[in-house]
């Protein structure tokens, strides 16, 4: 039979944590967890912003490709310009124009979204004597209360 020693509190090798040490450890843990949570929130915003930017870029690219099959003269006449015009600009919110069918798609994908297409002559004073046409498509929208935009350009000869 083995002899047991009597239990005694306060021996040097059997100390626990004090209440103050536990409260400090919980406070440090809470601070670390709050920092990690804020990173998740910022990361979510960045992902949403990137998704919206990609949607806007794809819309602008699709708009440009729609008019890519038109001839040089057909491009500016489709937009309602004549040979003597120096520039032509239309928006999805304006009256019926070549890009107004895109209005529902732009508004569905982007908050307060508006697309603008602008034609400018290149190498001449107007469309009639220019050697090319610069087509610029700009898509603007609001995200988290701030205005955002994407602009794509191409030159047609």
């Amino acid at each position: 039979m083995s002899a047991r020693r009597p239990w005694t509190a306060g021996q040097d090798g059997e100390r626990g944590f004090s209440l103050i040490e536990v409260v400090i450890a919980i406070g440090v843990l809470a601070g670390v967890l709050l920092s990690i949570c804020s990173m998740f929130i910022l990361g979510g915003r960045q992902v949403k912003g990137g998704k919206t930017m990609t949607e806007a870029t794809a819309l602008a690219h699709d708009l440009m490709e729609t008019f890519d099959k038109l001839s040089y003269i057909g491009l500016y006449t489709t937009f309602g310009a004549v040979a003597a015009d120096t520039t032509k600009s239309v928006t999805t919110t304006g009256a019926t124009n070549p890009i107004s069918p895109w209005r529902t798609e732009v508004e569905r994908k982007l908050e307060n979204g508006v697309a603008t297409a602008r034609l400018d002559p290149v190498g001449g004073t107007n469309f009639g004597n220019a050697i090319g046409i610069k087509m610029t498509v700009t898509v603007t929208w609001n995200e988290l209360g701030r205005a955002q935009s994407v602009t794509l350009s191409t030159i047609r000869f």
Side-chain angles (χ1 to χ4, degrees):
M1 215 159 150
S2 66
R4 286 186 158 180
R5 309 187 308 200
W7 182 80
T8 58
Q11 289 183 347
D12 289 336
E14 298 181 13
R15 292 190 60 218
F17 294 106
S18 69
L19 182 59
I20 293 174
E21 291 171 330
V22 171
V23 169
I24 290 172
I26 290 173
V28 169
L29 181 63
V32 169
L33 289 176
L34 285 174
S35 299
I36 291 172
C37 289
S38 68
M39 283 188 245
F40 279 110
I41 292 169
L42 291 174
R45 286 183 184 168
Q46 292 295 324
V47 168
K48 184 187 181 317
K51 179 182 180 267
T52 308
M53 184 70 70
T54 302
E55 291 282 352
T57 304
L59 282 169
H61 191 264
D62 288 347
L63 265 164
M64 290 179 78
E65 281 187 352
T66 300
F67 303 104
D68 193 35
K69 61 183 177 262
L70 297 175
S71 67
Y72 176 83
I73 295 173
L75 182 60
Y76 69 81
T77 56
T78 299
F79 279 81
V82 295
D85 287 342
T86 58
T87 188
K88 184 66 177 177
S89 183
V90 294
T91 66
T92 53
T93 58
T96 302
N97 59 57
I99 67 168
S100 58
W102 288 84
R103 181 178 184 167
T104 55
E105 187 75 10
V106 171
E107 290 176 351
R108 183 178 66 85
K109 291 185 176 182
L110 305 169
E111 179 184 345
N112 296 327
V114 176
T116 304
R118 179 184 167 110
L119 300 178
D120 294 305
V122 175
T125 56
N126 56 37
F127 292 120
N129 64 12
I131 59 171
I133 297 176
K134 178 181 179 184
M135 181 176 179
T136 305
V137 176
T138 303
V139 179
T140 58
W141 72 97
N142 289 333
E143 187 170 346
L144 300 173
R146 294 185 312 184
Q148 303 286 332
S149 69
V150 169
T151 302
L152 298 177
S153 295
T154 186
I155 296 180
R156 299 278 311 275
F157 293 100

